[in-house]
Amino acid sequence: MTKKRKQNWFMLLFALPFAGVGIGVLVFGVIPNLYEWQQMKRWPQVEARVLDAGLHTSRGDDSDTYRAYARYTYRYQMQDYTSERVAIMGGSDNIGDFQSDLARQLELAHRVEEPVPAWVNPNDPGDAVLNRELRWNMLGFKMIFVLVFGGVGIGLMIFTLKAKVGATDHPESSSKPWLAQQEWASPEVTCNSKVSLWVIWFFALIWNLISLPATLAVPDEWAGGNKLILIALIFPLAGIYLLYWAINSTLSWRRFGQLRLQLDPYPGSIGGQVGGTLTIPITYNPQQRFPVSLQCVRRYVTGSGKSRTSHESIVWQNNGLAQTKPAPGGGTSLGICFNVPANLPVSETYSDDYRFWRLELNADLPGVDLHRQFEIPVFATGEKSRAALPLSTSHPQLNDEREASIEAVANIQQIPGGVRMHYPMLHGAGNNLVGLVCGLFFGGAGVLMHFESDAPAVIVWAFTLIGGLITFICLKWLFTSLHVQLDHNGLISERYWLGMPIGRDQIPRADIQKLYIDVSSRGQSAKGYQEMCKIIALTNSGKKIPVAMNLKGRDTAQLALEAIGGLSGYGTTVRSF
């Protein structure tokens, strides 16, 4: 067994207890409570006489927990029964005032000898309950364990199973290290979409099974005056999105299948070129564009134990368009080729901090869009494409696409001696609108919990403050407009919110040191890894003033930088990231 296999087994064994805790709480703590809650809605109601009741307190080092208890008798179908079950969820806790309030009600009923309602299991009349409410705050507390422990454990297991296993002692692996990986033992590299598809379906089905009872409960709970039940809508809404994602991924798989990239050169080369060819099973259309992106990625882990978190950062990236032609056997043949600088890291073996190379292919197509990722071997061989593939960065349509991207977010006008730019409100609205919805939901949930529940104050404040902060930031960016003039006199930058001035900078030309590109946000999306860039004017005092924003990708930002610098005559720094 190779060292890599031993590491994978160790990671699986390490992740198993975390996954077990999460799944155990779900299977034995959450699902049974939801199932009984649904079943109890059909249980017949009877009158019960309380024989004894009170509140049991368990003292702990950090805090006390409470449990309402009672013993009561009731008659069902001409038979007398005695039970001690009080609520759906047994055990002691200190989540809210549920236990103390219930104990007080039962003690009062016992003292004044007043009957209380009880609900009886018709299939087992000896099983009854005095309170059949589902405690949503307690259920949410349990779900923290499910999501945190189960998410960490299952995530680590999936990540380990998807990681490369490693070939066993290839005779040439010392001189050709790419041969030490089974996936790289030949020039043909497959995408990872099939494994991802199964993972998406697994999470979609589990999530929707968990959220189904909450979905069914919304009409009855709302009719009963429980406004807090609206918070539970986040679960079915997330489930619908997961199902949409899974179905869309399945349709994409059925349409395109497992794509295979023939590397040319093999392996990809630091100081040379990276690329290859592949065939897409769709009818050739010379107007169809296939954006491609080559990335050198650093993946690293921070924290330890259950606090371990995986991160990705882009070391280097280049974007382009694949060259297309009809495939000999039908379909569309794509040619991909990038020049790669000589000072970049090679593909490294998996560890807590390593570099790897990823090629992404995207296309907006009628029906189902195409998105595939290939993890490819790239080493310092200095080789170039044997078939002399044309560069993807030199595609004739590429500049038109980048210029369209610039025009979509800014109104740029040439003026004597410089340039004037206007960025209207609602630029970059997509991400901000999603953030606004999330912020309103969290903030609204916090306010609703404050007025309609006995949720702990820390939870109420956390939801309210986080939601309010997200809402404030998204509203600020959604309705902020920017006016910039850059000419031989200097820079004038004016910011407005809903048409009202909120800031103005006027910098003489002599005080402007340079223009450069900065990345404002980055992350994965449905179309792969994306970066949003902005152009900054740096003054001699170190002040940074935005000149352009919401530019999709470094290449688009570089084109905008060159245009702005050329029209205004200001010095620029190329690709400062």
Side-chain angles (χ1 to χ4, degrees):
M1 181 180 292
T2 64
K3 180 180 179 181
K4 177 60 182 174
R5 287 183 184 273
K6 292 179 181 179
Q7 291 175 344
N8 284 352
W9 277 110
F10 174 79
M11 288 297 295
L12 287 173
L13 292 175
F14 176 80
L16 189 60
F18 291 92
V21 170
I23 294 173
V25 173
L26 175 64
V27 173
F28 299 107
V30 175
I31 293 178
N33 292 153
L34 292 171
Y35 176 77
E36 284 190 311
W37 174 56
Q38 287 294 320
Q39 293 296 311
M40 287 177 181
K41 291 182 177 182
R42 296 189 288 271
W43 288 9
Q45 180 178 336
V46 298
E47 285 190 348
R49 184 167 61 89
V50 181
L51 304 176
D52 187 25
L55 181 68
H56 181 268
T57 303
S58 298
R59 304 294 180 182
D61 295 334
D62 299 324
S63 61
D64 299 337
T65 58
Y66 309 94
R67 177 178 60 86
Y69 67 87
R71 190 166 61 88
Y72 54 94
T73 62
Y74 57 92
R75 174 173 284 264
Y76 179 71
Q77 293 183 346
M78 308 302 294
Q79 293 286 330
D80 291 326
Y81 298 92
T82 301
S83 178
E84 296 182 355
R85 187 176 186 185
V86 175
I88 296 177
M89 300 179 182
S92 301
D93 65 80
N94 54 10
I95 306 298
D97 299 325
F98 174 83
Q99 300 286 1
S100 58
D101 290 345
L102 181 57
R104 188 163 48 250
Q105 295 171 11
L106 295 176
E107 286 177 329
L108 178 62
H110 176 236
R111 189 166 55 249
V112 301
E113 298 183 352
E114 180 179 317
V116 295
W119 288 267
V120 181
N121 183 353
N123 299 320
D124 181 11
D127 180 22
V129 69
L130 296 180
N131 186 299
R132 59 177 184 173
E133 295 179 6
L134 184 65
R135 298 172 59 193
W136 291 103
N137 52 1
M138 187 64 180
L139 189 69
F141 180 74
K142 292 182 178 182
M143 284 301 298
I144 292 175
F145 286 88
V146 174
L147 297 176
V148 173
F149 283 86
V152 169
I154 295 174
L156 277 175
M157 294 173 74
I158 292 172
F159 181 78
T160 302
L161 292 172
K162 288 179 66 177
K164 294 192 209 29
V165 174
T168 55
D169 301 327
H170 193 284
E172 297 183 80
S173 61
S174 59
S175 59
K176 299 178 178 180
W178 53 91
L179 297 178
Q181 299 291 344
Q182 292 177 349
E183 296 88 344
W184 298 342
S186 75
E188 184 177 88
V189 178
T190 58
C191 59
N192 58 5
S193 58
K194 190 172 185 180
V195 175
S196 300
L197 179 63
W198 285 109
V199 172
I200 293 169
W201 270 111
F202 172 79
F203 278 107
L205 292 176
I206 292 297
W207 186 275
N208 279 279
L209 285 174
I210 294 173
S211 63
L212 181 60
T215 307
L216 298 175
V218 170
D220 292 342
E221 292 293 320
W222 178 261
N226 182 11
K227 298 178 181 178
L228 201 62
I229 192 65
L230 292 178
I231 299 176
L233 288 176
I234 189 63
F235 294 103
L237 289 175
I240 291 172
Y241 173 76
L242 286 173
L243 281 176
Y244 167 78
W245 186 15
I247 292 171
N248 195 59
S249 298
T250 302
L251 294 175
S252 177
W253 173 261
R254 287 175 60 88
R255 182 177 183 184
F256 305 113
Q258 181 80 290
L259 299 184
R260 292 173 169 80
L261 173 68
Q262 294 290 333
L263 291 175
D264 179 19
Y266 167 67
S269 174
I270 302 292
Q273 293 182 329
V274 172
T277 59
L278 70 157
T279 299
I280 309 295
I282 61 173
T283 303
Y284 172 70
N285 177 2
Q287 301 304 317
Q288 178 63 55
R289 301 181 181 185
F290 292 89
V292 288
S293 175
L294 179 64
Q295 305 157 5
C296 177
V297 186
R298 178 194 175 199
R299 181 177 289 160
Y300 58 99
V301 176
T302 58
S304 60
K306 63 182 181 180
S307 300
R308 288 167 61 90
T309 306
S310 180
H311 306 270
E312 282 191 4
S313 62
I314 298 298
V315 178
W316 178 87
Q317 175 176 306
N318 209 347
N319 301 314
L321 292 176
Q323 308 286 343
T324 63
K325 64 179 180 180
T332 301
S333 177
L334 306 186
I336 303 166
C337 187
F338 289 93
N339 285 331
V340 177
N343 59 343
L344 295 174
V346 301
S347 298
E348 299 173 344
T349 56
Y350 170 78
S351 67
D352 284 349
D353 190 349
Y354 71 108
R355 282 77 176 165
F356 68 96
W357 286 78
R358 180 168 61 203
L359 183 69
E360 288 191 349
L361 168 66
N362 297 284
D364 295 329
L365 299 169
V368 182
D369 294 337
L370 172 64
H371 172 60
R372 290 289 191 273
Q373 292 183 339
F374 301 86
E375 192 170 327
I376 59 177
V378 179
F379 291 86
T381 64
E383 296 291 330
K384 294 190 175 183
S385 170
R386 291 176 176 79
L389 294 171
L391 290 174
S392 298
T393 53
S394 300
H395 195 286
Q397 295 177 321
L398 196 56
N399 276 347
D400 293 340
E401 188 170 274
R402 291 170 181 166
E403 289 175 359
S405 179
I406 296 172
E407 292 174 359
V409 297
N411 179 11
I412 301 177
Q413 298 176 338
Q414 184 177 4
I415 60 175
V419 62
R420 181 184 293 127
M421 293 161 285
H422 171 58
Y423 300 87
M425 291 188 298
L426 303 178
H427 55 264
N431 292 334
N432 285 316
L433 285 174
V434 172
L436 180 61
V437 172
C438 293
L440 289 173
F441 173 82
F442 276 93
V447 173
L448 199 59
M449 283 189 287
H450 174 71
F451 289 105
E452 300 292 336
S453 79
D454 55 357
V458 64
I459 296 178
V460 173
W461 279 108
F463 271 76
T464 305
L465 292 177
I466 292 174
L469 180 62
I470 295 173
T471 301
F472 171 78
I473 292 173
C474 291
L475 285 175
K476 179 179 182 296
W477 284 108
L478 271 172
F479 297 105
T480 294
S481 58
L482 176 66
H483 302 262
V484 177
Q485 180 169 314
L486 196 63
D487 58 21
H488 58 273
N489 293 318
L491 168 67
I492 298 175
S493 175
E494 298 174 323
R495 295 175 296 282
Y496 298 85
W497 192 79
L498 288 175
M500 298 179 292
I502 58 174
R504 187 177 191 275
D505 291 295
Q506 185 168 357
I507 310 297
R509 182 184 181 94
D511 289 345
I512 298 176
Q513 186 181 132
K514 64 179 178 179
L515 306 179
Y516 70 97
I517 299 170
D518 192 16
V519 177
S520 53
S521 66
R522 53 166 61 94
Q524 288 290 137
S525 70
K527 294 184 178 181
Y529 186 89
Q530 289 188 346
E531 291 181 324
M532 298 299 291
C533 299
K534 57 186 176 182
I535 297 175
I536 300 293
L538 180 66
T539 68
N540 293 328
S541 63
K543 187 175 183 179
K544 300 176 182 179
I545 302 173
V547 173
M549 58 182 62
N550 295 318
L551 301 170
K552 293 183 179 179
R554 304 188 186 195
D555 295 310
T556 300
Q558 183 63 33
L559 187 66
L561 178 65
E562 292 171 357
I564 294 171
L567 292 172
S568 62
Y570 284 80
T572 62
T573 298
V574 178
R575 296 184 180 275
S576 176
F577 296 100

